[in-house]
Amino acid sequence: MRYLCSGYYDPQKFNALPKDDLAALIAKCRLHDEALHATGKVTFLASLSAPKEWKSIKPGDSKPVITDGPFSEAKEVVGAFFIVDAENMDEAVSIASMHPAAHLGKDVGWGIDVRACEFFIEGPPAGTAEKIHCRTHDTLQA
């Protein structure tokens, strides 16, 4: 089973950090990142751009409406995400707990949410069929 793990933070608190404090915080992440990767269970990891660079797409009358900024008003926003391949939620939480946001950044609102992927489509290499993963079915071939 795959689990989406979202790392979140409070942008106002994060942006208020002095440069030296931010650099020190980021430097502390390395050991946690190495432990997370060493599990062999993290299949994808990404850090996201700042909310000011985001676009929001919503249904319009005849076509989608695209606006600048976060998709919702929230105190905390997603700043990173990763996929964990685990046997169950307990294992996924154990692995996600190794991420830096589970140990550091309390003052800037860091944290992790773990959610089971109900449905998952794996992108195909060129010239092959895609694999579709669904929690309630075996792997399907498209």
Side-chain angles (χ1 to χ4, degrees), residues 7-122:
Y8 55 87
Y9 70 105
D10 181 322
Q12 286 184 327
K13 291 179 181 178
F14 190 79
N15 292 333
L17 274 181
K19 277 188 170 182
D20 290 343
D21 291 352
L22 178 59
L25 178 61
I26 292 170
K28 292 178 185 177
C29 293
R30 182 178 209 141
L31 289 175
H32 297 285
D33 284 337
E34 289 172 359
L36 186 63
H37 290 290
T39 67
K41 299 280 190 166
V42 176
T43 59
F44 191 89
L45 174 67
S47 180
L48 302 174
S49 63
K52 67 182 179 184
E53 299 174 29
W54 297 357
K55 296 289 182 184
S56 180
I57 304 170
K58 296 181 181 177
D61 292 331
S62 62
K63 65 179 184 176
V65 176
I66 301 168
T67 58
D68 291 335
F71 65 94
S72 64
E73 296 299 320
K75 182 178 175 187
E76 297 167 334
V77 296
V78 175
F81 67 95
F82 54 103
I83 303 290
V84 172
D85 197 356
E87 292 297 317
N88 54 46
M89 178 62 86
D90 289 340
E91 182 183 20
V93 167
S94 177
I95 293 166
S97 294
M98 296 177 187
H99 190 276
H103 297 270
L104 307 169
K106 182 178 178 181
D107 294 339
V108 292
W110 279 10
I112 301 287
D113 285 337
V114 180
R115 297 181 178 132
C117 294
E118 295 282 334
F119 184 76
F120 188 90
I121 297 177
E122 189 173 321

Side-chain angles (χ1 to χ4, degrees), residues 1-4 83 89 115-121 132-138 140:
M1 166 94 41
R2 292 204 172 112
Y3 294 84
L4 172 65
I83 303 290
M89 178 62 86
R115 297 181 178 132
C117 294
E118 295 282 334
F119 184 76
F120 188 90
I121 297 177
I132 301 173
H133 302 273
C134 186
R135 217 170 116 160
T136 57
H137 303 289
D138 291 331
L140 308 170

